[in-house]
């Protein structure tokens, strides 16, 4: 795993004649890129500063509890099936994916609830229970969602968007689909009940977007859920990451953990490889960065001369919100809280105003909305017998605002606030059962994941930070450099990140073509 040989030197010695691709970062984007490049004939070397694969999807274990640090659900499982198929393998042979039913429950401050599932009739019943007059609007919303899925995901999301002409060609469709309208604004045209407007507009928060400003193209998520379901990988998202790493090694690739890349090396306007923090040079034919696009351009390419993504431009950009996540185990609770399923969303007393505090004002509010993950309902192996494993996620401002939150000082105070909300609204008696716990704040995202401003999902997916406007999968500044992951096209979320490697696959020449003079 920690081989310290120069892959290009090995090639020259005849031990491995394949062109070398160095991949910076073992997140889902980097691992998917490694798998596809291995299938194209490259010798892949993945370098990551963490000690395990997965990036934000990695996990930690404490006192018998496994805490999945990042993604908790899988939508559009076919992107993984297609990824494995590209390597001549079957996804199901590596990962045990379980369909969720229901997907999640939303709890509102007035005590009402909304349960989301794949069953269209059941969903229509839920809508009618809250607001009978909104059933027709729900049907229209589903049709709207399907149209945006066909265009936004299957078309734009799975092909390169680095040429201005590509953007110009799709502008009429953007106009027809009212991409200028926000997700919330579109939901408001279909639903009268404010609870339903929230239930069908909050999804951009899962990829770091403000529902009141992110383009309505993202209502496509409702179609994704209905058409393909919501799934959980047994062993957590980290199990998928480990399986991806296994495939790379089976292809003859190498994964080097506990090493941070400090710089992408250049010869003129072409990359020649990377230098690690330890001072080691890894030469390569191509480099793929799964590091955040902001970190890639501002730090890893700090010595370049030609610049589009300058520090000033990155500073002007709008970044996704930060995340405060409390991971905790509970003792002797297996028979408790029987009405609390795998996924619960506690909607706070303010929706629009809280989102504005987070994204616009950079203000840490006293109230909060929480996403609560209880994987032990589905996956008993993540907790000791009789116990439970949870995480509670609170969207908070990133630390790039003028007066950022001092998270070292607020760490425990805010955790206590989260615990108070959970105990009062979802898990009565929680404080008597809390076991091991772990916390990640935006400051931790900055240090652990090298995320600019400690944002949870890189650049916010607003319309002028999407498609052609987003950092491209092929660098317009450096030849031989490619980008994948949440900060580049098509964007954050597991389907988007994995699809970024599919886009990469269409941009990179096959190894035998690279080797041809």
């Amino acid at each position: 795993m920690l081989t310290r040989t120069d892959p290009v030197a090995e090639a020259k010695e005849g031990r491995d004649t394949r062109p070398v691709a160095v991949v910076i970062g073992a997140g889902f984007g980097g691992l998917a890129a490694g798998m596809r490049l291995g299938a194209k004939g490259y010798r892949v070397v993945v370098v990551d500063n963490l000690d395990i694969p997965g990036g934000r999807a990695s996990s930690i274990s404490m006192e018998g509890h496994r805490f999945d640090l990042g993604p908790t659900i899988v939508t559009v499982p076919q992107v993984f099936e297609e990824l494995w198929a590209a390597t001549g393998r079957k996804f199901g042979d590596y990962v045990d994916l379980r369909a969720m039913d229901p997907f999640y429950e939303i709890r509102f401050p007035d005590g009402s609830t909304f349960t989301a599932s794949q069953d269209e009739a059941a969903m229509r019943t839920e809508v009618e229970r809250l607001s009978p007059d909104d059933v027709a609007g729900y049907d229209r919303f589903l049709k709207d969602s399907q149209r945006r899925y066909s265009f936004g995901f299957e078309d734009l999301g799975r092909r390169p968007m680095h040429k201005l002409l590509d953007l110009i060609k799709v502008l009429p469709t953007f106009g027809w689909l009212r991409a200028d309208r926000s997700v919330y604004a579109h939901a408001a045209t279909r639903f009268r009940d404010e609870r339903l407007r929230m239930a069908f507009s909050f999804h951009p928060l899962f990829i770091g977007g403000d529902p009141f400003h992110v383009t309505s193209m993202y209502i496509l998520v409702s179609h994704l859920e209905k058409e393909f379901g919501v799934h959980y990988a047994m062993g957590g998202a980290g199990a998928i990451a480990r399986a991806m790493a296994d495939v790379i090694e089976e292809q003859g690739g190498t994964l080097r953990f506990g090493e941070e890349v400090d710089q992408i090396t250049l010869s003129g306007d072409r990359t020649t490889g990377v230098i690690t923090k330890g001072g080691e040079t890894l030469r390569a034919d191509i480099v793929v960065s799964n590091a955040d696009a902001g970190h890639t351009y501002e730090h890893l390419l700090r010595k370049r001369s030609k610049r589009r993504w300058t520090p000033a431009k990155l500073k002007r950009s709008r970044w996704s919100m930060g995340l405060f996540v409390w991971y905790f185990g509970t003792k002797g609770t297996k028979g408790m809280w029987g009405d609390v399923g795998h996924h619960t969303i506690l909607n706070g007393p303010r929706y629009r105003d809280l989102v504005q505090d987070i994204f616009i004002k950079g203000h840490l509010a006293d109230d909060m909305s929480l996403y609560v993950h209880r994987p032990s309902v589905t996956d008993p192996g993540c907790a000791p017998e009789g116990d439970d494993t949870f995480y509670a996620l609170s969207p908070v401002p990133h630390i790039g605002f003028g007066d950022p939150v001092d998270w070292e000082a607020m760490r425990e105070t805010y955790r206590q606030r989260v615990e108070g909300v959970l105990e009062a609204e979802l898990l009565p008696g929680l404080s008597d059962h809390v076991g091991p716990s772990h916390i990640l704040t935006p400051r931790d995202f900055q240090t652990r994941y090298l995320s600019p401003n400690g944002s949870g999902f890189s650049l916010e997916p607003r319309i002028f930070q999407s498609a052609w406007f987003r950092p491209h999968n092929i660098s317009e500044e450096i030849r031989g450099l490619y980008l994948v992951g949440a900060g580049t096209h098509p964007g954050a979320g597991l389907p988007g990140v994995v699809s970024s490697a599919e886009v990469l696959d269409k941009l990179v020449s096959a190894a035998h073509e690279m080797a041809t003079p």
Side-chain angles (χ1 to χ4, degrees):
M1 282 288 188
L2 294 177
T3 307
R4 297 187 180 277
T5 55
D6 183 335
V8 173
E10 285 194 350
K12 288 181 178 178
E13 294 170 11
R15 285 183 282 164
D16 194 330
T17 59
R18 294 175 293 169
V20 175
V22 168
V23 179
I24 304 169
F28 270 65
L31 293 170
M35 291 171 66
R36 287 191 175 272
L37 290 172
K40 290 176 85 76
Y42 287 84
R43 178 181 173 189
V44 174
V45 181
V46 183
V47 185
D48 195 283
N49 65 314
L50 299 182
D51 59 357
I52 55 174
R56 286 170 169 79
S58 55
S59 65
I60 60 172
S61 295
M62 300 175 67
E63 299 179 25
H65 294 266
R66 188 197 72 243
F67 298 123
D68 302 315
L69 299 183
T72 61
I73 62 174
V74 174
T75 56
V76 203
Q78 64 265 33
V79 299
F80 287 101
E81 294 165 359
E82 292 166 5
L83 173 63
W84 254 259
T87 72
R89 294 165 173 80
K90 292 184 178 180
F91 178 56
D93 292 340
Y94 288 74
V95 176
D96 180 5
L97 209 59
R98 304 284 178 92
M100 297 283 95
D101 185 24
F103 299 160
Y104 48 82
E105 180 186 59
I106 302 174
R107 300 195 180 193
F108 297 101
D110 65 359
S112 60
T113 64
F114 182 86
T115 300
S117 66
Q118 192 171 8
D119 187 314
E120 189 173 336
M123 286 287 283
R124 193 174 283 108
T125 298
E126 284 292 283
V127 170
E128 185 175 21
R129 184 173 57 80
L130 290 183
S131 178
D133 293 339
D134 279 326
V135 175
Y138 169 69
D139 292 336
R140 293 175 66 192
F141 189 84
L142 281 186
K143 293 178 181 177
D144 298 339
S145 176
Q146 183 175 4
R147 282 192 289 267
R148 283 155 182 80
Y149 164 80
S150 298
F151 174 66
F153 188 88
E154 289 295 348
D155 183 6
L156 294 190
R158 307 184 78 166
R159 62 180 172 94
M161 282 295 294
H162 62 285
K163 296 179 181 178
L164 183 58
L165 183 60
D166 295 331
L167 173 68
I168 294 172
K169 288 179 179 178
V170 300
L171 286 178
T173 308
F174 271 120
W176 176 63
L177 293 175
R178 292 300 309 270
D180 61 307
R181 181 185 284 162
S182 75
V183 169
Y184 177 85
H186 192 92
T189 68
R190 299 294 184 249
F191 300 100
R192 299 175 185 176
D193 190 283
E194 197 60 41
R195 294 166 299 179
L196 293 175
R197 290 177 175 181
M198 178 273 166
F200 288 95
S201 70
F202 78 93
H203 299 95
L205 290 166
F206 282 148
I207 56 171
D210 172 353
F212 296 89
H213 289 93
V214 164
T215 171
S216 63
M217 295 300 297
Y218 283 99
I219 69 168
L220 62 82
V221 174
S222 292
H223 178 75
L224 293 184
E225 292 183 343
K226 182 182 81 71
E227 192 70 14
F228 310 117
V230 171
H231 301 78
Y232 172 81
M234 297 298 284
I240 304 178
R242 289 189 295 274
M244 297 169 84
D246 288 343
V247 171
I248 292 172
E249 291 190 316
E250 290 169 9
Q251 293 172 319
T254 304
L255 294 106
R256 301 174 55 143
F257 297 114
E259 299 183 49
E260 181 181 336
V261 171
D262 180 62
Q263 185 182 149
I264 296 172
T265 56
L266 307 174
S267 176
D269 66 348
R270 183 172 186 84
T271 179
T272 59
V274 303
I275 298 176
T276 68
K277 282 276 191 180
E280 184 179 4
T281 297
L282 294 175
R283 296 190 296 277
D285 296 281
I286 64 171
V287 172
V288 179
S289 181
N290 182 215
D292 189 283
H295 180 76
T296 299
Y297 280 114
E298 187 164 12
H299 183 81
L300 300 181
L301 288 170
R302 60 189 180 275
K303 294 189 177 181
R304 73 196 191 282
S305 55
K306 179 182 176 183
R307 298 188 176 203
R308 175 190 175 195
W309 291 95
T310 64
K313 180 178 176 66
L314 290 166
K315 188 174 183 179
R316 290 194 305 270
S317 300
R318 300 202 66 90
W319 295 85
S320 63
M321 78 284 200
L323 303 174
F324 180 95
V325 197
W326 178 33
Y327 310 87
F328 60 96
T330 56
K331 302 296 185 183
T333 57
K334 208 61 177 180
M336 295 177 61
W337 310 315
D339 61 332
V340 179
H342 194 124
H343 305 286
T344 306
I345 296 165
L346 292 180
N347 192 30
R350 302 180 304 143
Y351 181 31
R352 183 190 296 268
D353 290 344
L354 179 60
V355 167
Q356 187 175 57
D357 280 344
I358 294 168
F359 284 91
I360 308 300
K361 297 179 180 179
H363 167 66
L364 184 65
D366 291 331
D367 60 320
M368 64 183 70
S369 291
L370 296 174
Y371 163 61
V372 183
H373 182 221
R374 189 186 189 183
S376 45
V377 171
T378 305
D379 187 357
C382 70
E385 182 69 29
D387 298 347
D388 273 301
T389 294
F390 289 87
Y391 90 40
L393 180 153
S394 172
V396 296
H398 63 63
I399 56 178
F401 288 96
D403 185 22
V405 176
D406 181 354
W407 281 110
E408 287 308 306
M410 281 295 296
R411 195 180 191 91
E412 177 58 20
T413 299
Y414 200 78
R415 187 207 65 79
Q416 291 176 7
R417 288 189 196 172
V418 172
E419 183 177 336
V421 171
L422 291 174
E423 190 153 24
E425 300 183 21
L426 188 69
L427 307 172
L430 170 63
S431 59
D432 295 330
H433 297 275
V434 174
S437 72
H438 182 71
I439 295 170
L440 287 181
T441 73
R443 188 64 67 183
D444 298 310
F445 274 74
Q446 184 183 50
T447 57
R448 179 179 173 85
Y449 304 124
L450 307 178
S451 178
N453 300 313
S455 63
F457 305 90
S458 191
L459 292 166
E460 188 184 357
R462 294 197 176 195
I463 190 167
F464 289 114
Q465 293 188 163
S466 299
W468 180 84
F469 298 103
R470 207 166 181 82
H472 301 158
N473 304 100
I474 180 170
S475 174
E476 60 268 60
E477 301 181 6
I478 305 299
R479 289 186 298 143
L481 174 64
Y482 302 86
L483 285 79
V484 294
T488 188
H489 174 67
L494 289 188
V497 167
V498 174
S499 293
S500 71
E502 181 181 351
V503 174
L504 168 83
D505 194 39
K506 298 172 182 176
L507 293 169
V508 178
S509 301
H512 71 273
E513 296 172 347
M514 176 70 73
T516 301

